[in-house]
Amino acid sequence: MRIMSQYRLKMDLQMFAGEKTEKATPKKRQESRKKGQVAKSAEIPSSLILLACICCLLMLGPFLQKQVLAMFGDVFINRLNMEVTQQNTLSLFGHYAIQMLLILAPIFFIVLIIAFAANYVQFGWLFTLEPLKPKLEKLNPLTGAKNIFGVRSVVEFLKSALKLILVGFIVFSILWSERKRLMDLAHLPVEDIFSFVAGITVRMGIFVAAIIFFIAIFDFMYQRYEFEKNLKMSKQDIKDEYKNSEGDPLIKAKIKERQRRMALMRMMQEVPNADVVITNPTHFAVALKYDATKMDAPTVIAKGADYLALRIREIAKQNEVITMENKPLARALFERTEVGQSVPGDLFQAVAEVLAYVYRLKGRR
């Protein structure tokens, strides 16, 4: 029973570690963005483009009407007596194609700006060719079936059905409100008929664009929620990412340990060059060296506590380096200096007295 309970506990811990409950790290977000995976709604650009086109037609309506009438009038005024040859026909179609492009150029320009601005507001500036790369996993029938019958497909179906119902309701409502005028169109001139059709088409376009934009706002919120949900990471994923970016902690610890040992070896090699070793006498040991031609002040070349202090004293004794006991000075030097640093200014007097005593002893020898 105890083994079974431990096994269950282990399995529960593994399941908890694999559950994606943590927010995505900045690195995961950056990698996802490089792949072109961002939170966006395709409905926002389409609704804004539709609304921009309608507004553009309203503003440029007289100009477009004049240009279209002039182009079609040119056919009846100047082209009826034209000799029909292959070269003349190609030239005529090329001329009219250029005219149509010039007429539609303002609309194309506005559509391009609106599309760029709508996407820029959603996810900022992004240019990547990653989504265009062929992927074999897209040919997997299981992945395709999962995409068809997944939650996202259901949401997209409901969204399309809602758009269809609302657009149909708007069109029906507008046409039903104008049913009397529709019945009287047969008695109106052609210009009035075109004017009426254009007006009712603009009304339907504005209402449809507004409804689609309203749906697009909720679609963007859902897409953002779904994006954040798919981007979540498990605790194990975060640990693995940290290992990959920062390195394995065990390896880093081994490297630091090796560096520390090498530093200790270099420090111990400097002890024989010391002028004096100041001790506590057993807890601390600090080795000092002073060379007036190279140093502005006495420098700590080695220090240690407990076992390391004992090793410094042993090496000093083996190399006949003078050892002096001074508890306050030893503690102060150990706590306030590092290996390779000069002695603090307020300790100059005490260190100078020690070095003077050491030099007198060496002179006697």
Side-chain angles (χ1 to χ4, degrees), residues 306-350:
D306 299 329
Y307 174 76
L308 195 56
L310 177 61
R311 288 289 302 145
I312 291 174
R313 290 198 303 271
E314 290 176 353
I315 295 174
K317 184 177 180 181
Q318 293 172 3
N319 292 272
E320 297 183 352
V321 177
I322 297 175
T323 302
M324 290 190 60
E325 179 180 338
N326 190 326
K327 295 181 180 179
L329 184 58
R331 179 180 291 273
L333 289 173
F334 182 84
E335 293 177 351
R336 297 174 56 185
T337 59
E338 297 295 335
V339 176
Q341 290 184 351
S342 299
V343 172
D346 57 334
L347 299 179
F348 277 177
Q349 183 65 31

Side-chain angles (χ1 to χ4, degrees), residues 33-96:
R33 186 176 178 84
K34 287 181 179 179
K35 295 178 181 178
Q37 299 172 357
V38 291
K40 63 177 180 178
S41 172
E43 307 299 331
I44 291 180
S46 61
S47 61
L48 292 178
I49 288 172
L50 177 59
L51 189 61
C53 289
I54 294 172
C55 294
C56 186
L57 290 174
L58 286 175
M59 292 185 295
L60 302 177
F63 169 77
L64 295 177
Q65 181 184 8
K66 181 180 178 181
Q67 294 296 320
V68 171
L69 290 176
M71 186 174 63
F72 280 98
D74 180 67
V75 176
F76 296 101
I77 297 173
N78 302 318
R79 308 294 180 176
L80 289 179
N81 297 326
M82 182 185 70
E83 184 180 357
V84 180
T85 62
Q86 182 178 3
Q87 183 177 0
N88 291 340
T89 305
L90 291 176
S91 176
L92 179 65
F93 277 106
H95 173 73
Y96 286 147

Side-chain angles (χ1 to χ4, degrees), residues 106-139:
I107 299 177
F108 289 157
F109 182 71
I110 292 175
V111 167
L112 184 64
I113 292 178
I114 293 296
F116 177 80
N119 286 301
Y120 182 80
V121 169
Q122 291 187 84
F123 52 83
W125 170 252
L126 177 63
F127 179 79
T128 177
L129 299 177
E130 190 69 24
L132 300 178
K133 292 182 179 179
K135 296 181 180 179
L136 296 178
E137 59 186 26
K138 293 183 178 179
L139 302 177

Side-chain angles (χ1 to χ4, degrees), residues 196-207:
F196 172 76
V197 172
I200 201 170
T201 302
V202 169
R203 282 177 57 192
M204 286 190 295
I206 291 175
F207 278 106

Side-chain angles (χ1 to χ4, degrees), residues 188-290:
L188 296 176
V190 177
E191 292 183 0
D192 293 343
I193 293 175
F194 277 111
S195 177
F196 172 76
V197 172
I200 201 170
T201 302
V202 169
R203 282 177 57 192
M204 286 190 295
I206 291 175
F207 278 106
V208 169
I211 288 295
I212 294 178
F213 181 75
F214 182 74
I215 295 174
I217 296 298
F218 287 95
D219 180 58
F220 176 72
M221 295 171 64
Y222 170 76
Q223 296 293 343
R224 193 163 188 173
Y225 164 78
E226 191 71 15
F227 176 75
E228 293 292 336
K229 180 181 176 182
N230 293 332
L231 211 62
K232 281 187 176 181
M233 305 172 65
S234 64
K235 296 182 183 297
Q236 187 62 39
D237 292 337
I238 296 176
K239 290 180 181 179
D240 294 340
E241 181 184 290
Y242 178 79
K243 285 182 180 180
N244 293 331
S245 59
E246 300 293 334
D248 194 331
L250 295 177
I251 297 177
K252 290 178 67 178
K254 290 181 180 180
I255 293 174
K256 288 183 178 179
E257 178 64 21
R258 181 171 295 181
Q259 292 175 344
R260 190 178 67 85
R261 289 181 180 179
M262 293 176 65
L264 287 176
M265 290 176 61
R266 288 195 298 269
M267 185 179 70
M268 291 302 180
Q269 291 173 357
E270 290 293 326
V271 173
N273 300 325
D275 292 324
V276 64
V277 174
I278 303 174
T279 64
N280 192 27
T282 56
H283 295 297
F284 301 110
V286 180
L288 297 176
K289 180 178 179 61
Y290 179 60

